[in-house]
Amino acid sequence: MIRVAIFFFYLMFSVGISFANGQISPKEKSALVDLYNSTNGEDWNVSWDLTAPVDTWKGVKVDNGHVVGLTLFMNNLNGVLPESIGDLKHLSNLNLAFNQITGVLPKAIVKLEKLKVFRFEMNRIKGGIPTEVANFKELEIFSMFNNFLTGPIPETFGELKKLKELNLSSNNLKGTIPESIGNLSNLEALGLFENKLEGQIPREIGNLVQLKELVLSNNQLGGEIPKEFGQLANLKILQLQNNRFNSFNALHGMDTKQFLVFDTDDKSLNPKFMDIQRDRTRMADTKFEDENENE
């Protein structure tokens, strides 16, 4: 029994030393290597030395023997995401924005239930947003603007009660804005600019009293602006231009002094841009031109 106890103590001590030295489980390391291989890691702006300790790899944050952060922003990742990315189950921060990632989101990505930050903006990702996005209970930021996403905005986004930023602008999303978005009481920024959304803006948007930025321009939204917009006292940026609204009456009762940016198609409501450049604020089309986007 004494020998067993000594062996067990030695094993635990060795594991502790490995964790202290930035080592991770073979499964997590394999997932990182898969990402490296599937996105042409040798051609990254800053590549990984796969023979070096994992915690020395660019953008990889290790804590207590697990990968908790992966930030490869603007690093020339070119290729598809591997299914094994779902094995990084301790990730809280995933930022692969401003790369050339293609394909669809892996089904296994919804296994990353500890995520707080999910950033994939400015890539070439296609397909739909999985309804299982509701698994991200800790999520605070979900940003996939400027990709080639299709299909509807999942109703299940309404289950992410900690969400502060949701940006799906400049995609090919269709359908209506889910009423469930009104459940996101902590939401501060909602960007759905330049999609193919239609129907009326749900009046539940008026429940988002923490909202500071609402950008819905360049869609096919119609009907009346909900009177519940009057409840958005913290709103600083409002952009509704280039839609099909038939009434802006609800906006006439709002205090335009609260806005830094106020832009609609109502000629009687003068646009307001403060010191921000008008052309930039109106968000000129920045979508990628991709001949193969429909393949």
Coordinates of all heavy atoms in Angstrom, one line a residue, residues 161-226:
K161 N -28.1 34.7 -22.3 CA -28.5 35.8 -21.4 C -27.3 36.7 -21.1 O -27.5 37.8 -20.6 CB -29.2 35.3 -20.2 CG -30.5 34.5 -20.4 CD -31.5 35.3 -21.2 CE -32.7 34.5 -21.5 NZ -33.5 34.0 -20.4
K162 N -26.1 36.2 -21.2 CA -24.9 37.1 -20.9 C -24.4 37.8 -22.1 O -23.4 38.6 -22.0 CB -23.8 36.2 -20.3 CG -24.2 35.6 -19.0 CD -23.0 34.8 -18.4 CE -23.4 34.2 -17.1 NZ -22.3 33.4 -16.4
L163 N -25.0 37.6 -23.3 CA -24.5 38.2 -24.5 C -24.6 39.8 -24.5 O -25.6 40.3 -24.1 CB -25.3 37.7 -25.7 CG -24.7 37.8 -27.1 CD1 -23.4 36.9 -27.1 CD2 -25.7 37.3 -28.1
K164 N -23.4 40.4 -24.8 CA -23.4 41.8 -24.9 C -23.2 42.4 -26.3 O -23.6 43.5 -26.6 CB -22.2 42.3 -24.0 CG -22.3 42.0 -22.5 CD -21.1 42.6 -21.8 CE -21.2 42.3 -20.3 NZ -20.0 42.8 -19.6
E165 N -22.7 41.6 -27.2 CA -22.5 42.0 -28.6 C -22.8 40.9 -29.5 O -22.3 39.7 -29.4 CB -21.0 42.4 -28.8 CG -20.7 42.8 -30.2 CD -19.2 43.1 -30.5 OE1 -18.5 43.5 -29.5 OE2 -18.7 42.8 -31.6
L166 N -23.7 41.2 -30.5 CA -24.1 40.2 -31.5 C -23.9 40.9 -32.9 O -24.7 41.9 -33.1 CB -25.5 39.7 -31.3 CG -26.1 38.8 -32.4 CD1 -25.2 37.5 -32.6 CD2 -27.5 38.4 -32.1
N167 N -23.0 40.5 -33.7 CA -22.7 41.1 -34.9 C -22.7 40.1 -36.1 O -21.8 39.3 -36.1 CB -21.4 41.9 -34.9 CG -21.3 42.9 -36.1 OD1 -21.9 42.7 -37.1 ND2 -20.5 43.9 -35.9
L168 N -23.8 40.2 -36.9 CA -23.9 39.2 -38.0 C -24.0 40.0 -39.3 O -24.5 39.5 -40.3 CB -25.2 38.4 -37.9 CG -25.2 37.5 -36.6 CD1 -26.6 36.9 -36.5 CD2 -24.1 36.5 -36.6
S169 N -23.5 41.2 -39.3 CA -23.6 42.1 -40.5 C -22.8 41.6 -41.7 O -21.9 40.8 -41.5 CB -23.1 43.5 -40.2 OG -23.9 44.1 -39.2
S170 N -23.2 42.0 -42.9 CA -22.5 41.7 -44.1 C -22.4 40.2 -44.4 O -21.3 39.6 -44.5 CB -21.1 42.4 -44.2 OG -21.3 43.7 -44.3
N171 N -23.6 39.5 -44.4 CA -23.7 38.1 -44.7 C -24.8 38.0 -45.7 O -25.2 38.9 -46.3 CB -23.9 37.3 -43.5 CG -22.6 37.0 -42.7 OD1 -21.7 36.2 -43.1 ND2 -22.4 37.7 -41.6
N172 N -25.3 36.8 -45.8 CA -26.5 36.5 -46.7 C -27.6 35.9 -45.9 O -28.3 35.0 -46.5 CB -26.1 35.6 -47.9 CG -25.0 36.2 -48.8 OD1 -25.2 37.3 -49.3 ND2 -23.9 35.5 -49.0
L173 N -27.8 36.3 -44.7 CA -28.9 35.8 -43.9 C -30.2 36.2 -44.3 O -30.4 37.4 -44.8 CB -28.6 36.2 -42.4 CG -27.3 35.7 -41.8 CD1 -27.1 36.4 -40.5 CD2 -27.3 34.2 -41.6
K174 N -31.2 35.3 -44.2 CA -32.6 35.6 -44.7 C -33.5 35.4 -43.5 O -33.2 34.9 -42.5 CB -32.9 34.7 -45.8 CG -32.1 34.9 -47.1 CD -32.6 34.0 -48.2 CE -31.8 34.3 -49.5 NZ -32.3 33.4 -50.6
G175 N -34.8 35.7 -43.8 CA -35.8 35.5 -42.8 C -36.1 36.8 -42.0 O -35.7 37.9 -42.3
T176 N -36.7 36.6 -40.8 CA -37.0 37.7 -39.9 C -36.0 37.8 -38.8 O -35.3 36.8 -38.5 CB -38.4 37.6 -39.4 OG1 -38.5 36.3 -38.7 CG2 -39.4 37.6 -40.5
I177 N -36.1 38.9 -38.1 CA -35.3 39.1 -36.9 C -36.0 38.3 -35.7 O -37.2 38.6 -35.5 CB -35.1 40.5 -36.5 CG1 -34.4 41.3 -37.6 CG2 -34.4 40.7 -35.2 CD1 -34.3 42.8 -37.4
P178 N -35.4 37.4 -35.1 CA -36.2 36.6 -34.1 C -36.7 37.5 -32.9 O -35.9 38.3 -32.4 CB -35.1 35.6 -33.6 CG -34.1 35.5 -34.6 CD -34.1 36.9 -35.3
E179 N -37.9 37.2 -32.5 CA -38.4 37.9 -31.3 C -37.6 37.6 -30.1 O -37.5 38.5 -29.2 CB -39.9 37.5 -31.1 CG -40.8 38.0 -32.2 CD -42.2 37.5 -31.9 OE1 -42.5 36.8 -30.9 OE2 -43.1 37.8 -32.8
S180 N -37.0 36.5 -30.0 CA -36.2 36.1 -28.9 C -35.0 36.9 -28.6 O -34.5 37.0 -27.5 CB -35.7 34.6 -29.0 OG -34.9 34.5 -30.1
I181 N -34.6 37.7 -29.6 CA -33.5 38.7 -29.4 C -33.8 39.6 -28.2 O -33.0 40.1 -27.5 CB -33.2 39.5 -30.6 CG1 -32.7 38.5 -31.8 CG2 -32.1 40.6 -30.4 CD1 -31.3 37.9 -31.5
G182 N -35.1 39.9 -28.0 CA -35.6 40.8 -27.0 C -35.3 40.2 -25.6 O -35.5 41.0 -24.6
N183 N -34.9 39.0 -25.5 CA -34.6 38.4 -24.2 C -33.2 38.7 -23.7 O -32.8 38.5 -22.5 CB -34.7 36.8 -24.2 CG -36.1 36.4 -24.5 OD1 -37.1 37.1 -24.2 ND2 -36.2 35.2 -25.1
L184 N -32.4 39.3 -24.6 CA -31.0 39.5 -24.2 C -30.8 40.8 -23.5 O -30.4 41.9 -24.0 CB -30.2 39.5 -25.5 CG -30.3 38.3 -26.4 CD1 -29.5 38.4 -27.7 CD2 -29.8 37.0 -25.6
S185 N -31.1 40.8 -22.2 CA -31.2 42.0 -21.4 C -29.9 42.7 -21.2 O -29.8 43.9 -20.8 CB -31.8 41.7 -20.0 OG -31.1 40.7 -19.4
N186 N -28.8 42.0 -21.5 CA -27.4 42.6 -21.3 C -26.8 43.1 -22.6 O -25.7 43.6 -22.7 CB -26.5 41.6 -20.7 CG -26.8 41.4 -19.2 OD1 -26.9 42.3 -18.4 ND2 -27.0 40.1 -18.9
L187 N -27.6 42.9 -23.7 CA -27.1 43.3 -25.1 C -26.8 44.8 -25.2 O -27.7 45.6 -24.9 CB -28.0 42.8 -26.1 CG -27.4 42.7 -27.5 CD1 -26.4 41.5 -27.6 CD2 -28.5 42.4 -28.6
E188 N -25.6 45.1 -25.7 CA -25.2 46.5 -25.8 C -25.0 46.9 -27.3 O -25.1 48.0 -27.7 CB -23.9 46.8 -25.1 CG -24.0 46.6 -23.6 CD -22.7 46.9 -22.8 OE1 -21.7 47.2 -23.5 OE2 -22.7 46.7 -21.6
A189 N -24.8 45.9 -28.2 CA -24.6 46.2 -29.6 C -25.2 45.0 -30.4 O -24.9 43.9 -30.2 CB -23.1 46.3 -29.9
L190 N -26.1 45.4 -31.4 CA -26.7 44.5 -32.3 C -26.5 45.0 -33.7 O -27.0 46.0 -34.1 CB -28.2 44.4 -32.0 CG -29.0 43.5 -33.0 CD1 -28.5 42.0 -32.9 CD2 -30.5 43.5 -32.6
G191 N -25.7 44.2 -34.5 CA -25.4 44.6 -35.9 C -25.9 43.5 -36.8 O -25.4 42.4 -36.8
L192 N -26.9 43.9 -37.7 CA -27.4 43.0 -38.7 C -27.4 43.6 -40.0 O -28.2 43.2 -40.9 CB -28.9 42.6 -38.3 CG -29.1 41.9 -36.9 CD1 -30.5 41.6 -36.6 CD2 -28.3 40.6 -36.8
F193 N -26.6 44.6 -40.2 CA -26.5 45.4 -41.4 C -26.2 44.5 -42.6 O -25.5 43.5 -42.5 CB -25.3 46.4 -41.2 CG -24.7 47.0 -42.4 CD1 -25.3 48.0 -43.1 CD2 -23.5 46.4 -42.9 CE1 -24.7 48.6 -44.2 CE2 -22.9 47.0 -44.0 CZ -23.5 48.1 -44.7
E194 N -26.7 44.8 -43.8 CA -26.4 44.2 -45.0 C -26.6 42.7 -45.1 O -25.6 41.9 -45.2 CB -25.0 44.6 -45.5 CG -24.8 44.3 -47.0 CD -23.4 44.7 -47.4 OE1 -22.4 44.4 -46.7 OE2 -23.3 45.4 -48.5
N195 N -27.8 42.3 -44.9 CA -28.2 40.9 -45.1 C -29.5 40.9 -46.0 O -29.7 41.9 -46.8 CB -28.5 40.3 -43.7 CG -27.3 39.8 -43.1 OD1 -26.6 38.8 -43.5 ND2 -26.9 40.5 -42.0
K196 N -30.3 39.9 -45.9 CA -31.5 39.9 -46.7 C -32.7 39.6 -45.8 O -33.6 38.9 -46.1 CB -31.4 38.7 -47.7 CG -30.3 38.9 -48.7 CD -30.1 37.8 -49.7 CE -29.0 38.0 -50.7 NZ -28.8 36.8 -51.6
L197 N -32.7 40.3 -44.6 CA -33.7 40.2 -43.6 C -35.0 40.9 -44.1 O -34.9 42.0 -44.7 CB -33.2 40.7 -42.3 CG -31.9 40.0 -41.7 CD1 -31.4 40.7 -40.5 CD2 -32.2 38.5 -41.5
E198 N -36.1 40.4 -43.7 CA -37.4 41.0 -44.1 C -38.3 41.0 -42.9 O -38.0 40.5 -41.8 CB -37.9 40.2 -45.3 CG -38.1 38.7 -45.0 CD -38.5 37.9 -46.2 OE1 -38.4 38.5 -47.3 OE2 -38.9 36.7 -46.1
G199 N -39.5 41.4 -43.2 CA -40.6 41.5 -42.2 C -40.4 42.7 -41.3 O -39.5 43.6 -41.5
Q200 N -41.1 42.8 -40.2 CA -41.0 43.9 -39.3 C -40.0 43.7 -38.2 O -39.7 42.6 -37.9 CB -42.4 44.2 -38.6 CG -43.5 44.7 -39.6 CD -44.7 45.0 -38.8 OE1 -45.5 44.2 -38.3 NE2 -45.0 46.3 -38.7
I201 N -39.5 44.8 -37.7 CA -38.6 44.7 -36.6 C -39.5 44.3 -35.4 O -40.5 44.9 -35.1 CB -38.0 46.1 -36.3 CG1 -37.1 46.5 -37.4 CG2 -37.1 46.0 -35.0 CD1 -36.5 47.9 -37.3
P202 N -39.1 43.3 -34.7 CA -39.9 42.8 -33.5 C -40.0 43.9 -32.4 O -39.0 44.5 -32.1 CB -39.3 41.5 -33.0 CG -37.9 41.6 -33.6 CD -37.9 42.4 -34.9
R203 N -41.2 44.1 -31.9 CA -41.3 45.1 -30.8 C -40.5 44.7 -29.6 O -40.2 45.6 -28.8 CB -42.8 45.3 -30.5 CG -43.5 44.1 -30.0 CD -45.0 44.4 -29.8 NE -45.7 43.2 -29.4 CZ -45.8 42.7 -28.2 NH1 -45.2 43.4 -27.2 NH2 -46.5 41.7 -27.9
E204 N -40.1 43.5 -29.5 CA -39.3 43.0 -28.3 C -38.0 43.7 -28.3 O -37.3 43.6 -27.2 CB -39.2 41.5 -28.4 CG -40.5 40.7 -28.0 CD -41.5 40.6 -29.2 OE1 -41.1 41.1 -30.3 OE2 -42.6 40.1 -28.9
I205 N -37.5 44.2 -29.4 CA -36.2 45.0 -29.4 C -36.3 46.1 -28.3 O -35.3 46.4 -27.7 CB -36.0 45.6 -30.8 CG1 -35.7 44.4 -31.8 CG2 -34.8 46.5 -30.7 CD1 -34.5 43.6 -31.6
G206 N -37.5 46.6 -28.1 CA -37.6 47.6 -27.0 C -37.2 47.2 -25.6 O -37.0 48.0 -24.7
N207 N -37.1 45.9 -25.4 CA -36.7 45.4 -24.1 C -35.2 45.5 -23.9 O -34.8 45.3 -22.7 CB -37.1 43.9 -24.0 CG -38.6 43.6 -24.1 OD1 -39.4 44.5 -23.7 ND2 -38.9 42.4 -24.5
L208 N -34.5 45.8 -24.9 CA -33.0 45.9 -24.8 C -32.5 47.2 -24.3 O -31.9 48.0 -25.0 CB -32.4 45.6 -26.2 CG -32.8 44.3 -26.8 CD1 -32.2 44.1 -28.2 CD2 -32.5 43.1 -26.0
V209 N -32.8 47.5 -23.0 CA -32.6 48.8 -22.5 C -31.1 49.1 -22.3 O -30.8 50.3 -22.1 CB -33.4 48.9 -21.1 CG1 -34.9 48.9 -21.3 CG2 -32.9 47.9 -20.1
Q210 N -30.2 48.1 -22.4 CA -28.8 48.4 -22.3 C -28.2 48.7 -23.7 O -27.0 49.0 -23.8 CB -28.1 47.2 -21.7 CG -28.6 46.8 -20.3 CD -28.3 47.9 -19.3 OE1 -27.3 48.6 -19.4 NE2 -29.3 48.1 -18.4
L211 N -29.0 48.6 -24.7 CA -28.5 48.7 -26.1 C -28.0 50.1 -26.4 O -28.6 51.1 -26.1 CB -29.6 48.4 -27.1 CG -29.2 47.9 -28.5 CD1 -28.4 46.6 -28.4 CD2 -30.5 47.7 -29.3
K212 N -26.7 50.1 -26.9 CA -26.1 51.4 -27.3 C -25.9 51.5 -28.8 O -25.8 52.6 -29.3 CB -24.7 51.5 -26.6 CG -24.7 51.4 -25.1 CD -23.3 51.4 -24.5 CE -23.3 51.3 -23.0 NZ -22.0 51.2 -22.4
E213 N -25.9 50.4 -29.5 CA -25.7 50.4 -30.9 C -26.7 49.5 -31.6 O -26.7 48.3 -31.3 CB -24.3 50.0 -31.3 CG -24.0 50.1 -32.7 CD -22.5 49.8 -33.0 OE1 -21.7 49.9 -32.1 OE2 -22.2 49.5 -34.2
L214 N -27.5 50.0 -32.6 CA -28.4 49.1 -33.3 C -28.3 49.5 -34.8 O -28.6 50.6 -35.2 CB -29.9 49.4 -32.8 CG -31.0 48.7 -33.6 CD1 -30.8 47.1 -33.5 CD2 -32.3 49.1 -33.0
V215 N -27.8 48.5 -35.6 CA -27.5 48.8 -37.0 C -28.2 47.7 -37.8 O -27.9 46.5 -37.8 CB -26.0 48.7 -37.3 CG1 -25.7 49.0 -38.8 CG2 -25.2 49.7 -36.4
L216 N -29.3 48.1 -38.5 CA -30.2 47.2 -39.3 C -30.2 47.7 -40.7 O -31.1 47.1 -41.5 CB -31.6 47.2 -38.7 CG -31.7 46.9 -37.2 CD1 -33.2 46.9 -36.7 CD2 -31.1 45.5 -36.9
S217 N -29.4 48.6 -41.2 CA -29.5 49.1 -42.5 C -29.2 48.1 -43.6 O -28.6 47.0 -43.3 CB -28.6 50.3 -42.6 OG -27.5 50.2 -41.8
N218 N -29.6 48.4 -44.8 CA -29.3 47.6 -46.0 C -29.9 46.2 -45.9 O -29.2 45.2 -46.0 CB -27.8 47.5 -46.3 CG -27.2 48.8 -46.8 OD1 -27.7 49.9 -46.4 ND2 -26.2 48.7 -47.6
N219 N -31.2 46.1 -45.5 CA -31.9 44.9 -45.5 C -33.2 45.1 -46.3 O -33.3 46.0 -47.1 CB -32.2 44.4 -44.1 CG -31.0 43.7 -43.5 OD1 -30.7 42.6 -43.8 ND2 -30.3 44.4 -42.5
Q220 N -34.2 44.2 -46.1 CA -35.5 44.4 -46.7 C -36.6 44.5 -45.7 O -37.7 44.0 -45.9 CB -35.7 43.2 -47.7 CG -34.7 43.1 -48.8 CD -34.7 41.8 -49.6 OE1 -35.8 41.2 -49.6 NE2 -33.6 41.4 -50.1
L221 N -36.3 45.0 -44.5 CA -37.2 45.2 -43.4 C -38.3 46.2 -43.8 O -38.1 47.1 -44.5 CB -36.5 45.6 -42.2 CG -35.4 44.7 -41.7 CD1 -34.5 45.4 -40.6 CD2 -36.0 43.4 -41.1
G222 N -39.5 45.9 -43.3 CA -40.6 46.8 -43.7 C -41.6 47.1 -42.5 O -41.3 46.8 -41.4
G223 N -42.7 47.6 -42.9 CA -43.7 47.9 -41.8 C -43.4 49.2 -41.1 O -42.6 50.1 -41.6
E224 N -43.8 49.3 -39.9 CA -43.6 50.4 -39.0 C -42.4 50.2 -38.1 O -42.1 49.1 -37.7 CB -44.8 50.8 -38.2 CG -46.0 51.1 -39.0 CD -47.2 51.5 -38.1 OE1 -47.2 51.2 -36.9 OE2 -48.2 52.0 -38.6
I225 N -41.7 51.3 -37.7 CA -40.8 51.2 -36.6 C -41.5 51.0 -35.3 O -42.5 51.8 -35.1 CB -39.9 52.5 -36.6 CG1 -39.2 52.8 -37.9 CG2 -38.9 52.3 -35.5 CD1 -38.3 51.7 -38.4
P226 N -41.2 50.0 -34.5 CA -42.0 49.8 -33.3 C -41.9 51.0 -32.4 O -40.9 51.6 -32.2 CB -41.3 48.6 -32.7 CG -40.5 47.9 -33.8 CD -40.1 49.0 -34.7

